[in-house]
């Protein structure tokens, strides 16, 4: 799939930046691993939040995260394909990430 096709598959109206949950806290953003989730039908979802307070309320204050310019989403999708982009979705308490040894951003 070309970058143009990937871009066409994204919503047309998104904020300039999105906050993405990560699997763990890291000191260098280049080492961050975006926390993809599997849907009940087997599809892979990229969860994204339109503001930091929404990420905290939907994922918990201990959720590691990174901020990403929206225009980078097609490159992220090419590097690690995902099927659905879900915005501002609450994560059930039992499935939330908790900081290891007090690390939180």
């Amino acid at each position: 799939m070309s970058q143009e096709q990937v871009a066409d598959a994204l919503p047309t109206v998104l904020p300039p930046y999105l906050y993405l949950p990560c699997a763990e806290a890291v000191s260098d953003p280049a080492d961050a691993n975006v926390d993809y989730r599997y849907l009940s039908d087997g599809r892979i979802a990229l969860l994204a939040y339109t503001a930091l307070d929404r990420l905290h309320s939907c994922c918990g204050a201990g959720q590691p995260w990174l901020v990403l310019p929206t225009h980078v989403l097609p490159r992220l999708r090419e590097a690690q394909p995902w099927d659905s982009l879900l915005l501002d979705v609450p994560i059930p308490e039992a499935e939330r990430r908790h900081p290891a040894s007090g690390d939180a951003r």
Side-chain angles (χ1 to χ4, degrees):
M1 185 178 283
S2 72
Q3 189 163 357
E4 292 80 22
Q5 290 170 315
V6 171
D8 289 342
L10 295 173
T12 56
V13 178
L14 287 171
Y17 293 91
L18 291 170
Y19 295 84
L20 306 181
C22 293
E24 60 189 9
V26 295
S27 57
D28 183 349
D31 296 331
N33 290 314
V34 174
D35 190 9
Y36 297 93
R37 299 290 177 131
Y38 288 90
L39 303 176
S40 60
D41 62 3
R43 290 179 300 147
I44 299 172
L46 172 65
L47 302 182
Y49 296 87
T50 55
L52 185 55
D53 64 331
R54 290 189 181 141
L55 180 134
H56 283 161
S57 73
C58 292
C59 301
Q63 173 67 58
W65 55 273
L66 64 83
V67 64
L68 183 79
T70 302
H71 73 270
V72 177
L73 283 176
R75 285 189 275 166
L76 181 63
R77 195 172 197 180
E78 285 181 353
Q80 175 61 50
W82 38 270
D83 302 304
S84 297
L85 174 64
L86 302 179
L87 296 175
D88 299 330
V89 173
I91 295 176
E93 184 65 39
E95 296 178 27
R96 291 182 180 191
R97 302 278 184 202
H98 297 284
S101 62
D103 294 338
R105 297 225 283 213

